[in-house]
Amino acid sequence: MLFFFRRNRTVQHVLRCACLTLLLAMTLQISFSAGLNAQGILERRVSLSMVNKPLKEVLQALNQKTSVDFVYSSKVDVHKVVSVQAQNKELRQVLKDVLTPTRLDYEVVGTSIVIKESPVPTPVPVLKKSAAAAPSLPVVVPVRGKVVDDKGEPLPGVTVLVKGTQTATVTDANGAFSIEAPANASLMVSYLGFLTQEVKVGSQQELTVKLVPDPVALGEVVVTGYTVQEKRVVTGAIGQIKSREIANMPIQSFDQAMQGRLAGVQVQTASGVPGGKVSINIRGMGSITAGNEPLYIVDGVQINSEDDAGGTVGTNPLSFLNPNDIESIEVLKDAAAASIYGAQAANGVVLITTKSGDEGPTKISVNMYRGFASPLPLIKMMDSQQYLDVRMEAYRNRYPDRTEGAIRTEVLQESMLPINMTDAQLAALPTYDWQKAAFRTGDIYDVELAASGGNKTTTYRLSASYNSSEGNLIGIDFSRATAKLRVQHKPTRKLTISTNINLSNIVQNGTQQSAGSTGFMSAPQFSSPMILPFIPITLEDGSPNNPLGGFPGELRYNPIYTAEVNFIQGKTRALYSNIILSYDITKDLNFKSTWGLDYRNINAEQYLDPRTHEAYARRGYLSIRNRESSTVSGTQALTYSKRFAGGHRLTALAGAEYRDYSRQISFSAGEGFSTYQFRHMSGAATILSSTGSWTGYRQLGFFSQANYDYKKKYMASAILRYDGSSKFGANNRFGLFPAFSAGWDIAAEDFLKDVRWVDQFKLRVGYGETGNSAIDHFASRGLFTGSSSYGGQPAIQPSSLENPDLRWERNASTNLGVDFSLFRKRLSGSVDAFHRRSKDLLLEQPVPWYGGYESMYRNVGEVVNRGLEVELNGEVLRLGGFQWNSGFNITFMDNEVTKLYEGLNGESLPGNPSVRIGHPLRTNFVAQYAGVNSATGRPMWWSGNGTLTYNPGAQGTNSYTPYGRGSQLAKYFGGFTNTLSFKGIEVSALFQYDMGREYLNEQNRTWYRNGQGARNGLERIYLMRWTEPGQVTPVPRAINGGAETDGATHILSSSRFLEDASYIRFKQLAASYAIPARFLSKFKISSARVYAQAVNLYTWTAWTGYDPEFLIDDENFTSNQGVVPQTRSYTLGVEFGF
Amino acid sequence: MTTMRNRIFPYILSASLIFVSGACNDLLDVEPTHAIDSRTALTSMEAVEAATNGVYARLRAVQQYGRDLVALPELLSDNAVHSGRGTTLQAEASNSPGAHLETWETGYAAINEANLILEALGPLSAPQSFKNSVEGQVRFLRALFYHNLVKVYAFDPTANDPTRNRGGVPLVRKGVIAVGDIDYAKGRDAVSEVYRFIYEDLTAAYQLLEGTDNARAPHFATRGAVAAFFSRVALYNGDYNKVISEANLALKSGVGQLQPAANVVASWRTDVHPESMFEVAVKPTENIGTNESLRATFTTRVNAEGKVAVSYGHAVVSDALLSDYEAGDVRKELIWKGLGNNSSKNEMTKFFSRGGVKDLDNIPVIRVAELYLNRAEAYVRLDQARWRWRT
């Protein structure tokens, strides 16, 4: 037993022996390069006079005077009485004076001093009591030595323990150690990843211990699906994120944290709504209609990633899990890894492993952070004078015959301003910043508690958290409470039972349409910049400006007031649970049974207050939507794992999996509330609608996998999965998904064994097939639905065309990769080249409407994604206690549509020219803006090569579109992270980039209107507008209505609005400081850390809207119009361990 | 003990695996509960009746009587002009290319439903009276949908331009359930053929609805509705004697009461228009909603009591039309000044949330007044012919 002793108070902490080793290792690590510092400790001068005091008190006094920590084991009798007389003496001398008479000695370890028994008569008892009674004491000798690895390189941080005692030390930066041991004793030399060696001390006093890597010891392991595999022998393309990297980011769901951290994994946050939609795209978009989101598995159970609040508030199905409860995230990127999940794995698989408890005494940790979320920079709109000026100009240009007076009257009338206003009065009109009133600084706080521990048979981890995050827009917030319990119990040697229960309750408030894109007048995120700028936000008495007749102009509502009084809320209750039974049938054969439940209830309510203009006429509106979904799954797997003589190792797996998903939605809406105080359906005079629906599917799969390696030099893996789903047509229920991969670590070959700077150089090759089945659950069925009525009588109508041939989309992917680790792991990384062919893509093919149906789905399309991924991790600098680590990843992507269905005119999908053979998905084909006729100020478009038109007409597949054919898909993306650490301080910065994306700035289509209607617009456009003949500018003259006579409107969706949405973002800056333990003991705290985080600090982009990061998912997010922009947040936190 | 358990275990496991795999296909059977399979859907009287209601419900679509068949002709012609507020219906008001009535999708969806019901009636075990009633209603509705198709997508028989006439619309007589049922080669049938088919349906419907109680009028098909609509079809077809005979049948049917001039405004304030021969019923849960409702299309007022503009009121009465009314014309009383931005515009207030709920209005398809007009026009046309013959 050891005691820990700190300044001011003699609080003693009981730590286990293992903890000491760990602690020593940690302190030593810090002091490796801080040798000077360690020396410096002993040179500190001290003055002290104490006579006949217990040693403990003397050490305490020395601690106070020198700030040096003293550490001693329980065998040191600190109650011995000592005396000290020192006048500006070096600590070295003081210690010698004090300790020598007591037969004690000391050693400097890092910044601490370890007090230990003097070598001469040292007994090595296990217990303090027996120490005194020890009959004869063996002779103790000082032993010095050096520990090296199999290549002769020194190993720092190796634990050296005198066998049978608790005397231990740790090797320094040069692998050297010194320890006192009885001459007949043995030293146990151990280091993670190496075989522990026992060395007899004997007569030798200079030892060289060569540690051999442990072939059995799982170095770093990765979760590969139904099993884990050592990273060294993985042959598929798998990315991994550890909890450390994402800890304490002020985010609501873990998907956000993955941004910029893994090659090949593109994460896009759809909006700045906390807990809102995030999209993850692994190795490109491979589907046109059936979704591009990966499969999510949490602790072996597939979760529902399709749940939403029906557009009421922006929800994220992954926010049920507190990101700080996650231990690691693994991403199966290629089919060679993912095809174990068969028909659902086409878009890759994300595997989440949550934290679990370790054997040992209970550890309690408390973590809190607090901060704020502020909006990204706002956009400058016109002021009152500019707006009125351009509005009148627009009238003047439209009606050149009208008199100035008539135009002025018209504009003032429409603006509800007195028509007799003088120029001076107009010039004095104030401008109110509605945008600023809508965006705000939101409050963020987070509190977490966790307890973990256990004994040999049972371990547990219990955690609870509460997160509250206000958005950067009024009315938007997110709060979540979670409780999670993970228990593992081993009743017998062979049986392990474990369970994992996660409960969460999420409450989100929103504004109208904050779940996606919007053009709603009552949505502040859309309307606030465009409200006529002379309309006051509040009245003179401070009450909201809310005339029931509405505001003048096109934006008639007060969205600020509306957001305040409306009640738009989504409540998610999620229960996730699994039960796992694992039984070792023999030493090599294991049976594992996993049962999982993922239950969600999302209750979304929308109450539009009758006091607002929006709901005044209907006297309030209330809708209630309740969505309940559950997934029950069961997986049975047999795993055979055996190591054969000669270095062969085989792991074989076979199993079956069944999943049953069902979802029920009920919805009702009513209007006509007596007053605004009535907020429940009982108060509605009229029930407008009350509906419900049910859907579900089942799937059954059989899987098998075999992983083989020979001395970690040659590896091979094969997967076969046979999957069926109720979603597919009767003719195509089941499908087979195979995969093969192989690897060769050249570094393990004899000819490279002596090349010291190569640790690993593993070539990988893999091919596999996976399916995508994320389609409507009854897409193959011809159905009559009963969702209609006539005259109050029930009605049924055919809703879909029967399609028995429908089947999953199939992805065939090939991967070539290399993993390397060089210069004693100072530089490691991987490079992967992949080719992913997504075929049999489901396309909605129109059928002649005279058959009664619009379209049917057929497996006809094909898309190819090609890419190159590079991931590099390096230790750039290690100097003294300073360490600089860098990580960089980049992914180059090329996407191409290679096949659509036959008979297409112009080779693009009807009604969707952006899906075209030979081009990436989401390529922009829009009318070609040719600028402004400088003679007249009219906008022009190209209608053909060299021919201009004022009216380009409707865009079709064969329209003239040679320019601006960029794609929304990034050409390359990735992240760059740097971590600097010095002693307890760590600073890390993450830059994330998404390059080569081109988007149509739909928001600008409303912001560029420049007085064409009664709404405010951009000042930039106002200042650049055409005003006189000969002026060359891209902005046409202002014109009432937007369209010149016989011309198309200037805000026509054209290349004028295409913008480069590439960006590089200073995504995250995190700084933390581990408070040295000596400051903590008096609070009974074993560890403490303070940290600060800043997210979305700065963005470099050419995009002209709020923010270039948004998403088009063709569901809630159809463009960037009215999307709540991203948030910049700053937080400060503390973490305590007890 | 351990060894025995080890020996037994694999057997239990393989047995359960075999059991599971044997039951594979059953495990993957999921029947929807919000819908029924099309193959077996129409095998009960209740389902057939509900499916018939489904055909009626198609009339409520925005592209049908929900809005377009009533409002668009006013804007496409010069009876109504656009109020200038909002972009909705601007293109129709300015007769932009492609902005027109679109009865195609919803029309053929309804026709397919009608075909499926007619095919299901044969094998259905139900009293003949039930079958007759359903068949009569469905054939009436099919004729109505076909007429609204041929009117929009082909030349009227009385206004034919043979050099540009590309035929009528495809006549689909067979129901479609599966992908393979669609006849991809189907082209347009001649206009005359389409009219012949509509005549056939209406003739049959009139006979089949013999026992139908007038109490079902005007929201469900009755003999009166069939004859009234037939008189309209015949008028489009230039079949004037038929117009007269059908109008007479309809007038004698007892459905719909012609209202005196004094009641004109009041008739447009009641839930069910007393003159309706056939009307599309709209109940609160079937409300088409603010954005596309007829009420919001024509007026800014929620109803006669409305004090605040609650919608744009896109289609307002043109000055030309207003000036055509003679002084004292009672119909002029339906034209009100709007509110808010429309306060200087003239709004038609026929659709005025008459159902008692905002935006809720039953939609008359054919009224008694039209019968008199049809018959009068037929007399004139016949007289003109006679007059021309005499001279």
Side-chain angles (χ1 to χ4, degrees):
Chain A
M1 299 292 260
L2 277 136
F3 292 92
F4 229 48
F5 171 157
R6 291 289 175 261
R7 193 202 293 223
N8 292 339
R9 211 176 288 175
T10 53
V11 177
Q12 294 182 333
H13 258 285
V14 181
L15 289 176
R16 288 204 164 202
C17 178
C19 293
L20 174 75
T21 318
L22 197 70
L23 182 92
L24 283 176
M26 277 160 55
T27 21
L28 276 175
Q29 262 169 357
I30 292 165
S31 66
F32 283 156
S33 36
L36 274 175
N37 226 1
Q39 290 304 312
I41 290 177
L42 292 174
E43 268 115 53
R44 286 184 197 170
R45 289 185 175 271
V46 71
S47 298
L48 186 66
S49 166
M50 289 173 96
V51 181
N52 291 339
K53 296 281 181 194
L55 173 61
K56 200 161 88 172
E57 281 184 42
V58 174
L59 290 177
Q60 191 183 350
L62 282 173
N63 169 250
Q64 274 177 351
K65 299 224 177 231
T66 62
S67 295
V68 172
D69 293 340
F70 294 92
V71 184
Y72 47 87
S73 83
S74 60
K75 356 178 246 208
V76 175
D77 184 358
V78 288
H79 301 290
K80 272 181 191 162
V81 173
V82 292
S83 298
V84 60
Q85 290 290 345
Q87 200 62 36
N88 196 25
K89 269 191 195 167
E90 277 189 9
L91 183 59
R92 186 197 307 277
Q93 191 57 44
V94 177
L95 284 174
K96 200 178 165 195
D97 294 350
V98 173
L99 297 177
T100 314
T102 57
R103 295 201 310 193
L104 289 169
D105 200 353
Y106 69 91
E107 189 184 2
V108 178
V109 179
T111 54
S112 309
I113 290 175
V114 179
I115 307 295
K116 53 189 184 180
E117 317 244 356
S118 173
V120 189
T122 310
V124 194
V126 176
L127 293 169
K128 195 174 159 189
K129 278 178 188 164
S130 60
S136 72
L137 303 170
V139 181
V140 171
V141 293
V143 181
R144 294 189 181 283
K146 190 177 181 185
V147 182
V148 295
D149 68 3
D150 54 328
K151 286 178 180 172
E153 295 284 323
L155 283 172
V158 176
T159 307
V160 180
L161 175 85
V162 181
K163 196 178 179 185
T165 73
Q166 300 190 359
T167 309
T169 185
V170 175
T171 59
D172 67 11
N174 301 315
F177 69 91
S178 74
I179 195 166
E180 277 93 25
N184 59 349
S186 293
L187 297 181
M188 301 299 291
V189 184
S190 59
Y191 190 55
L192 185 72
F194 289 83
L195 289 170
T196 299
Q197 245 186 72
E198 187 175 336
V199 186
K200 280 266 179 215
V201 174
S203 56
Q204 38 182 338
Q205 296 192 354
E206 275 293 329
L207 290 166
T208 299
V209 184
K210 190 171 187 176
L211 287 184
V212 184
D214 182 3
V216 187
L218 293 178
E220 271 188 276
V221 294
V222 289
V223 181
T224 59
Y226 299 100
T227 179
V228 293
Q229 204 177 358
E230 192 184 345
K231 212 170 182 177
R232 258 193 116 81
V233 297
V234 164
T235 48
I238 299 178
Q240 190 184 38
I241 298 176
K242 288 293 200 180
S243 58
R244 226 177 86 77
E245 300 173 54
I246 61 169
N248 297 327
M249 266 184 95
I251 47 165
Q252 292 75 35
S253 53
F254 63 83
D255 42 12
Q256 283 171 276
M258 293 168 70
Q259 195 169 34
R261 292 185 207 271
L262 289 175
V265 180
Q266 194 188 17
V267 181
Q268 290 170 285
T269 310
S271 75
V273 172
K277 165 129 184 159
V278 175
S279 148
I280 293 191
N281 232 267
I282 298 169
R283 293 193 163 180
M285 286 185 78
S287 180
I288 299 170
T289 62
N292 284 287
E293 294 290 313
L295 175 73
Y296 293 95
I297 313 264
V298 175
D299 292 327
V301 176
Q302 184 181 337
I303 59 162
N304 306 332
S305 56
E306 53 180 61
D307 291 320
D308 60 47
T312 311
V313 293
T315 55
N316 184 324
L318 305 178
S319 63
F320 78 97
L321 200 60
N322 174 10
N324 278 351
D325 277 335
I326 293 174
E327 179 63 43
S328 73
I329 301 172
E330 265 93 0
V331 180
L332 310 184
K333 297 193 281 196
D334 72 339
S339 74
I340 190 77
Y341 290 105
Q344 300 180 85
N347 295 320
V349 182
V350 178
L351 301 161
I352 310 296
T353 309
T354 61
K355 288 177 182 162
S356 52
D358 291 322
E359 194 184 319
T362 298
K363 280 184 248 170
I364 293 173
S365 76
V366 179
N367 182 20
M368 283 174 274
Y369 63 78
R370 192 175 177 109
F372 57 90
S374 65
L376 295 174
L378 302 179
I379 307 285
K380 184 88 180 77
M381 309 306 279
M382 289 185 274
D383 63 25
S384 296
Q385 286 69 31
Q386 289 169 331
Y387 165 73
L388 288 170
D389 180 39
V390 78
R391 183 74 183 122
M392 287 185 208
E393 189 175 307
Y395 266 104
R396 227 174 278 133
N397 290 337
R398 185 97 199 87
Y399 308 108
D401 302 341
R402 290 196 190 167
T403 64
E404 195 58 29
I407 285 170
R408 188 177 172 127
T409 307
E410 177 97 17
V411 169
L412 291 177
Q413 214 160 27
E414 121 194 318
S415 308
M416 294 189 192
L417 292 168
I419 56 169
N420 53 4
M421 274 180 97
T422 63
D423 285 348
Q425 283 171 319
L426 281 180
L429 271 180
T431 297
Y432 298 92
D433 195 343
W434 282 85
Q435 200 181 183
K436 208 172 156 190
F439 290 97
R440 60 142 183 218
T441 298
D443 224 21
I444 299 174
Y445 68 92
D446 185 279
V447 188
E448 288 165 33
L449 263 166
S452 66
N455 56 25
K456 277 195 161 38
T457 54
T458 308
T459 57
Y460 76 96
R461 181 176 186 274
L462 175 66
S463 65
S465 76
Y466 181 76
N467 177 292
S468 164
S469 307
E470 283 182 343
N472 58 11
L473 185 83
I474 51 159
I476 294 183
D477 60 43
F478 169 97
S479 65
R480 174 186 56 211
T482 67
K484 187 169 179 304
L485 174 66
R486 202 171 160 163
V487 183
Q488 183 166 322
H489 179 62
K490 238 175 129 50
T492 74
R493 203 165 42 82
K494 296 188 162 198
L495 182 67
T496 310
I497 308 165
S498 61
T499 185
N500 192 349
I501 298 166
N502 188 91
L503 303 170
S504 44
N505 186 25
I506 301 169
V507 179
Q508 287 172 277
N509 287 301
T511 58
Q512 270 277 37
Q513 304 281 303
S514 53
S517 312
T518 181
F520 265 48
M521 291 188 286
S522 53
Q525 63 273 32
F526 167 74
S527 63
S528 67
M530 293 184 290
I531 293 174
L532 299 184
F534 43 80
I535 301 173
I537 299 162
T538 49
L539 299 175
E540 273 165 18
D541 63 359
S543 63
N545 183 11
N546 180 44
L548 288 178
F551 288 153
E554 292 171 10
L555 296 136
R556 307 197 312 269
Y557 306 159
N558 181 338
I560 312 284
Y561 176 70
T562 306
E564 274 163 16
V565 295
N566 280 351
F567 178 79
I568 297 172
Q569 189 178 74
K571 281 184 288 211
T572 305
R573 280 113 185 187
L575 162 64
Y576 163 91
S577 171
N578 73 15
I579 293 174
I580 301 173
L581 254 107
S582 173
Y583 184 77
D584 292 328
I585 300 165
T586 69
K587 194 161 67 66
D588 308 316
L589 186 65
N590 170 275
F591 172 70
K592 190 169 162 186
S593 181
T594 307
W595 299 90
L597 169 71
D598 182 10
Y599 170 85
R600 306 280 172 92
N601 183 316
I602 305 180
N603 192 297
E605 239 181 275
Q606 188 177 32
Y607 181 78
L608 306 185
D609 195 291
R611 289 171 293 176
T612 65
H613 182 185
E614 182 182 24
Y616 174 75
R618 62 199 331 188
R619 295 176 70 182
Y621 169 87
L622 173 68
S623 74
I624 301 172
R625 185 176 187 271
N626 194 66
R627 175 181 177 130
E628 204 174 29
S629 68
S630 68
T631 303
V632 180
S633 58
T635 308
Q636 320 305 323
L638 272 173
T639 310
Y640 176 76
S641 188
K642 185 148 173 90
R643 187 182 307 275
F644 297 92
H648 304 275
R649 185 165 57 161
L650 176 72
T651 304
L653 177 83
E657 184 168 64
Y658 184 63
R659 181 171 191 250
D660 185 329
Y661 172 84
S662 68
R663 180 186 77 207
Q664 202 162 340
I665 295 176
S666 58
F667 174 87
S668 60
E671 65 181 15
F673 292 83
S674 313
T675 71
Y676 72 90
Q677 288 99 333
F678 294 89
R679 300 179 95 90
H680 294 280
M681 210 49 99
S682 57
T686 311
I687 299 301
L688 296 169
S689 125
S690 183
T691 66
S693 70
W694 180 92
T695 186
Y697 68 90
R698 290 173 186 168
Q699 60 199 39
L700 177 65
F702 301 94
F703 53 87
S704 62
Q705 180 174 16
N707 295 335
Y708 163 80
D709 80 81
Y710 172 67
K711 290 183 171 169
K712 299 186 187 177
K713 195 192 295 179
Y714 309 111
M715 312 128 222
S717 171
I719 294 172
L720 198 60
R721 178 147 182 154
Y722 185 62
D723 250 353
S725 167
S726 66
K727 290 178 187 178
F728 296 109
N731 302 344
N732 283 308
R733 273 264 145 113
F734 280 86
L736 202 58
F737 302 93
F740 312 95
S741 55
W744 174 32
D745 186 359
I746 305 176
E749 290 289 352
D750 290 339
F751 58 86
L752 271 178
K753 223 158 192 173
D754 296 326
V755 182
R756 285 189 178 168
W757 56 275
V758 181
D759 311 314
Q760 186 194 27
F761 198 86
K762 183 175 67 179
L763 300 177
R764 289 181 277 111
V765 56
Y767 170 82
E769 292 182 17
T770 48
N772 182 5
S773 57
I775 59 163
D776 184 84
H777 307 159
F778 297 108
S780 69
R781 302 283 296 267
L783 296 174
F784 267 71
T785 47
S787 53
S788 186
S789 68
Y790 175 72
Q793 305 287 314
I796 56 173
Q797 293 172 329
S799 56
S800 57
L801 201 52
E802 185 183 288
N803 195 351
D805 292 326
L806 203 69
R807 62 181 187 278
W808 45 87
E809 297 181 347
R810 187 174 283 271
N811 275 243
S813 84
T814 311
N815 190 78
L816 274 170
V818 54
D819 293 340
F820 56 88
S821 170
L822 308 171
F823 313 114
R824 298 196 47 73
K825 298 185 181 169
R826 282 193 68 160
L827 176 66
S828 63
S830 26
V831 177
D832 279 88
F834 64 88
H835 183 279
R836 172 184 175 201
R837 181 181 299 277
S838 308
K839 52 196 176 188
D840 296 346
L841 298 188
L842 289 164
L843 292 180
E844 194 173 12
Q845 185 168 349
V847 295
W849 250 113
Y850 56 68
Y853 304 86
E854 184 177 10
S855 59
M856 63 169 179
Y857 278 99
R858 280 184 62 207
N859 294 86
V860 283
E862 189 179 280
V863 168
V864 171
N865 281 287
R866 280 176 289 254
L868 181 71
E869 298 172 359
V870 180
E871 214 168 274
L872 293 173
N873 291 297
E875 201 180 273
V876 181
L877 201 63
R878 188 163 56 184
L879 188 72
F882 177 75
Q883 192 164 336
W884 174 12
N885 285 61
S886 242
F888 175 76
N889 71 75
I890 189 163
T891 306
F892 297 93
M893 286 289 314
D894 178 30
N895 178 289
E896 187 187 343
V897 177
T898 49
K899 219 174 110 189
L900 296 172
Y901 51 82
E902 65 284 352
L904 276 179
N905 183 15
E907 306 198 311
S908 79
L909 283 187
N912 191 354
S914 72
V915 179
R916 189 175 301 204
I917 292 176
H919 294 270
L921 283 169
R922 304 195 171 194
T923 298
N924 297 306
F925 291 96
V926 290
Q928 307 282 299
Y929 189 58
V932 173
N933 183 337
S934 68
T936 59
R938 292 184 60 154
M940 303 179 293
W941 292 268
W942 295 108
S943 60
N945 192 7
T947 55
L948 291 164
T949 177
Y950 287 135
N951 194 350
Q955 283 295 297
T957 295
N958 297 316
S959 299
Y960 178 74
T961 54
Y963 312 119
R965 290 181 165 188
S967 166
Q968 294 174 6
L969 305 185
K971 289 197 174 64
Y972 59 102
F973 60 87
F976 180 42
T977 171
N978 279 290
T979 307
L980 309 174
S981 49
F982 181 68
K983 300 202 169 172
I985 301 169
E986 190 178 287
V987 179
S988 83
L990 168 68
F991 292 84
Q992 174 250 331
Y993 56 93
D994 233 339
M995 306 296 286
R997 321 149 74 216
E998 185 188 74
Y999 275 89
L1000 189 93
N1001 195 335
E1002 188 71 28
Q1003 182 98 66
N1004 276 353
R1005 288 189 59 219
T1006 59
W1007 285 357
Y1008 274 30
R1009 295 193 183 188
N1010 213 16
Q1012 76 176 56
R1015 68 169 76 183
N1016 202 4
L1018 291 172
E1019 184 189 52
R1020 174 169 61 88
I1021 293 301
Y1022 167 78
L1023 296 173
M1024 284 172 74
R1025 76 197 188 283
W1026 186 96
T1027 49
E1028 57 187 12
Q1031 185 185 348
V1032 178
T1033 170
V1035 181
R1037 66 173 186 165
I1039 183 91
N1040 186 37
E1044 299 273 358
T1045 314
D1046 296 327
T1049 172
H1050 70 107
I1051 57 161
L1052 178 87
S1053 196
S1054 74
S1055 56
R1056 184 184 180 198
F1057 297 98
L1058 290 178
E1059 288 184 26
D1060 187 351
S1062 303
Y1063 69 91
I1064 300 176
R1065 174 117 76 198
F1066 190 175
K1067 185 76 196 166
Q1068 185 195 12
L1069 176 66
S1072 69
Y1073 175 59
I1075 299 171
R1078 64 174 179 272
F1079 299 124
L1080 303 170
S1081 56
K1082 60 175 173 180
F1083 303 111
K1084 296 193 176 181
I1085 294 169
S1086 66
S1087 70
R1089 226 162 60 84
V1090 293
Y1091 57 89
Q1093 295 238 8
V1095 170
N1096 290 344
L1097 269 170
Y1098 193 80
T1099 307
W1100 292 267
T1101 183
W1103 183 258
T1104 66
Y1106 286 120
D1107 191 63
E1109 186 187 354
F1110 57 89
L1111 178 74
I1112 291 186
D1113 65 356
D1114 297 324
E1115 287 167 31
N1116 289 329
F1117 293 91
T1118 51
S1119 74
N1120 67 324
Q1121 179 178 289
V1123 169
V1124 178
Q1126 303 290 327
T1127 293
R1128 179 184 293 170
S1129 53
Y1130 304 87
T1131 51
L1132 200 63
V1134 284
E1135 210 176 74
F1136 296 105
F1138 300 94
Chain B
M1 212 23 226
T2 316
T3 46
M4 203 181 111
R5 200 159 55 194
N6 284 352
R7 224 175 290 147
I8 286 173
F9 202 86
Y11 293 104
I12 296 172
L13 191 82
S14 34
S16 50
L17 277 178
I18 289 164
F19 169 77
V20 167
S21 52
C24 272
N25 279 316
D26 292 350
L27 280 172
L28 291 184
D29 280 341
V30 179
E31 281 305 315
T33 54
H34 67 296
I36 44 177
D37 196 287
S38 306
R39 302 250 168 233
T40 54
L42 303 180
T43 47
S44 70
M45 283 167 65
E46 292 77 11
V48 167
E49 196 167 0
T52 307
N53 288 331
V55 188
Y56 280 107
R58 295 277 183 199
L59 292 168
R60 221 165 47 218
V62 173
Q63 296 80 8
Q64 300 282 342
Y65 291 96
R67 181 188 70 186
D68 290 359
L69 282 170
V70 179
L72 260 55
E74 309 290 357
L75 281 166
L76 292 165
S77 68
D78 54 6
N79 286 346
V81 291
H82 201 276
S83 66
R85 308 292 164 190
T87 51
T88 309
L89 299 179
Q90 286 265 25
E92 286 77 3
S94 59
N95 288 69
S96 299
H100 207 275
L101 290 161
E102 279 177 57
T103 53
W104 191 268
E105 291 88 349
T106 45
Y108 274 111
I111 288 163
N112 183 48
E113 284 162 50
N115 289 339
L116 291 171
I117 294 167
L118 293 176
E119 283 165 20
L121 282 177
L124 185 73
S125 77
Q128 195 56 43
S129 60
F130 174 84
K131 290 187 178 185
N132 285 351
S133 163
V134 169
E135 188 181 344
Q137 294 178 69
V138 166
R139 293 186 78 166
F140 162 72
L141 290 167
R142 186 166 70 172
L144 181 56
F145 283 108
Y146 264 124
H147 189 237
N148 285 332
L149 281 167
V150 76
K151 241 165 47 176
V152 174
Y153 294 97
F155 283 105
D156 286 341
T158 52
N160 190 13
D161 177 357
T163 59
R164 295 182 185 185
N165 193 333
R166 293 166 64 194
V169 292
L171 283 174
V172 182
R173 299 177 172 85
K174 210 181 144 298
V176 173
I177 284 179
V179 167
D181 298 339
I182 298 171
D183 177 6
Y184 284 87
K186 186 90 186 126
R188 287 171 180 253
D189 286 287
V191 173
S192 57
E193 190 58 25
V194 177
Y195 271 87
R196 205 187 55 70
F197 189 71
I198 295 173
Y199 270 41
E200 232 174 64
D201 265 350
L202 290 176
T203 311
Y206 189 81
Q207 285 162 4
L208 290 159
L209 290 173
E210 193 185 355
T212 304
D213 189 349
N214 274 354
R216 280 173 66 80
H219 294 158
F220 290 90
T222 55
R223 287 188 121 184
V226 175
F229 175 59
F230 209 159
S231 83
R232 177 192 286 179
V233 172
L235 189 68
Y236 271 85
N237 200 24
D239 186 359
Y240 302 114
N241 287 314
K242 188 74 177 167
V243 176
I244 296 161
S245 62
E246 291 298 329
N248 288 337
L249 278 177
L251 289 169
K252 274 188 281 183
S253 67
V255 177
Q257 303 302 319
L258 188 72
Q259 298 299 304
N263 284 0
V264 163
V265 175
S267 303
W268 283 106
R269 296 290 178 259
T270 58
D271 184 13
V272 176
H273 198 290
E275 287 189 356
S276 283
M277 300 299 296
F278 182 65
E279 201 173 88
V280 179
V282 189
K283 294 286 181 228
T285 52
E286 302 155 6
N287 201 336
I288 201 163
T290 288
N291 288 345
E292 290 164 323
S293 71
L294 283 166
R295 202 267 322 140
T297 302
F298 286 117
T299 171
T300 48
R301 292 169 193 268
V302 65
N303 54 31
E305 287 77 44
K307 298 280 186 293
V308 172
V310 295
S311 45
Y312 281 127
H314 302 293
V316 294
V317 177
S318 71
D319 293 345
L321 176 66
L322 193 67
S323 63
D324 282 348
Y325 287 103
E326 288 166 11
D329 189 328
V330 67
R331 291 174 297 176
K332 232 176 150 173
E333 290 172 25
L334 286 167
I335 298 170
W336 294 27
K337 287 285 180 209
L339 295 170
N341 288 325
N342 272 9
S343 49
S344 61
K345 309 274 194 308
N346 298 299
E347 296 178 345
M348 181 58 76
T349 65
K350 288 179 177 175
F351 299 93
F352 229 24
S353 308
R354 285 181 281 118
V357 172
K358 180 165 175 265
D359 305 318
L360 192 73
D361 286 292
N362 292 322
I363 306 148
V365 171
I366 189 160
R367 290 186 289 125
V368 176
E370 183 183 324
L371 296 175
Y372 287 102
L373 284 171
N374 289 349
R375 194 169 64 176
E377 186 172 345
Y379 282 137
V380 172
R381 299 281 181 187
L382 288 169
D383 264 1
Q384 274 175 352
R386 221 169 287 153
W387 180 79
R388 218 177 284 128
W389 177 76
R390 271 187 209 141
T391 49

